[in-house]
Amino acid sequence: DAGITQSPRHKVTETGTPVTLRCHQTENHRYMYWYRQDPGHGLRLIHYSYGVKDTDKGEVSDGYSVSRSKTEDFLLTLESATSSQTSVYFCAISRDRAQVAFGSGTRLTVV
Amino acid sequence: EDKVVQSPLSLVVHEGDTVTLNCSYEVTNFRSLLWYKQEKKAPTFLFMLTSSGIEKKSGRLSSILDKKELFSILNITATQTGDSAVYLCAVANTGNQFYFGTGTSLTVIP
């Protein structure tokens, strides 16, 4: 998966608890992204980063925050998980003017 | 609002058939259009198109972009059961953001 590792692969959590998903890359790519994928909605961008400490919101950022303290790591945090955040989360990376490559995904269930 | 629309939503064909998948887009500061194949895991890259009218080809798959009419097609000839997947279209802007369509689910019946 293009040197991208997501952890955990699966997680079940309770409503109201904080959750952090981790994405680690070994490609030294500048751009990193978090997407969620839901039936009928396709892949929707949550947040993205264009460098260390440089992040921006995507189209569905409410309820999510991110941090990028190192080039290789991009963390996605759900401050207080809700059932509507049950989804498959994909991390992706890209270098300038290239395609985006995806990690294997994290399946998150909020009960 | 930037958007990518794919059609049809789903398609069922028999092995050996030829299929055409469609992708139209409205994205500010367009840079490139990409096609991905997604089986029961992460999407995998197929093609990237940046210029109108130039066909990209890989085996039985081919794709072309029309930047004037803002659409692309993905053709698959002589389909096989291994082609069954969701095909995703994405558009990248000059800010390196990628916008995805909802995908076309292709099922190839033996």
Side-chain angles (χ1 to χ4, degrees):
Chain A
D1 293 323
I4 310 167
T5 304
Q6 289 187 234
S7 59
R9 293 294 303 275
H10 303 271
K11 185 170 181 67
V12 180
T13 192
E14 292 187 351
T15 298
T17 60
V19 177
T20 295
L21 308 183
R22 181 176 183 250
C23 178
H24 177 80
Q25 61 144 331
T26 58
E27 305 294 322
N28 201 35
H29 284 354
R30 177 183 175 193
Y31 296 92
M32 297 186 76
Y33 309 83
W34 278 107
Y35 287 90
R36 60 178 290 176
Q37 187 172 37
D38 305 287
H41 291 279
L43 283 158
R44 292 181 291 174
L45 182 65
I46 305 171
H47 282 279
Y48 65 104
S49 170
Y50 40 96
V52 173
K53 292 186 168 49
D54 287 326
T55 65
D56 209 344
K57 296 179 180 180
E59 57 189 309
V60 290
S61 59
D62 287 348
Y64 301 95
S65 62
V66 290
S67 67
R68 192 167 178 200
S69 58
K70 298 186 288 185
T71 299
E72 57 267 34
D73 290 325
F74 194 31
L75 304 180
L76 176 71
T77 297
L78 290 65
E79 304 292 345
S80 176
T82 67
S83 58
S84 65
Q85 293 175 313
T86 292
S87 187
V88 178
Y89 290 85
F90 285 103
C91 174
I93 64 174
S94 173
R95 58 181 172 82
D96 288 341
R97 303 199 167 275
Q99 71 272 19
V100 62
F102 290 88
S104 299
T106 294
R107 185 173 294 276
L108 177 68
T109 303
V110 183
V111 297
Chain B
E1 181 184 334
D2 297 312
K3 62 180 179 180
V4 177
V5 178
Q6 293 185 245
S7 64
L9 289 181
S10 65
L11 201 51
V12 180
V13 300
H14 289 94
E15 267 193 322
D17 288 350
T18 294
V19 298
T20 298
L21 311 183
N22 304 294
C23 176
S24 64
Y25 63 92
E26 293 178 27
V27 173
T28 307
N29 298 322
F30 172 93
R31 190 192 80 212
S32 61
L33 186 142
L34 307 99
W35 285 97
Y36 287 81
K37 178 182 181 181
Q38 185 176 25
E39 296 168 275
K40 292 188 183 299
K41 46 187 177 178
T44 54
F45 173 75
L46 294 174
F47 296 111
M48 181 168 71
L49 303 113
T50 56
S51 302
S52 278
I54 299 175
E55 185 183 55
K56 288 279 184 95
K57 198 169 172 64
S58 176
R60 297 176 294 101
L61 278 67
S62 63
S63 183
I64 197 160
L65 172 66
D66 185 329
K67 288 168 72 174
K68 182 180 176 185
E69 299 297 329
L70 308 183
F71 79 90
S72 173
I73 60 172
L74 175 68
N75 281 319
I76 309 175
T77 59
T79 51
Q80 302 171 356
T81 55
D83 295 326
S84 294
V86 174
Y87 290 84
L88 298 168
C89 174
V91 173
N93 64 13
T94 53
N96 231 59
Q97 291 173 270
F98 293 79
Y99 297 90
F100 283 81
T102 53
T104 293
S105 176
L106 174 66
T107 302
V108 181
I109 300 170

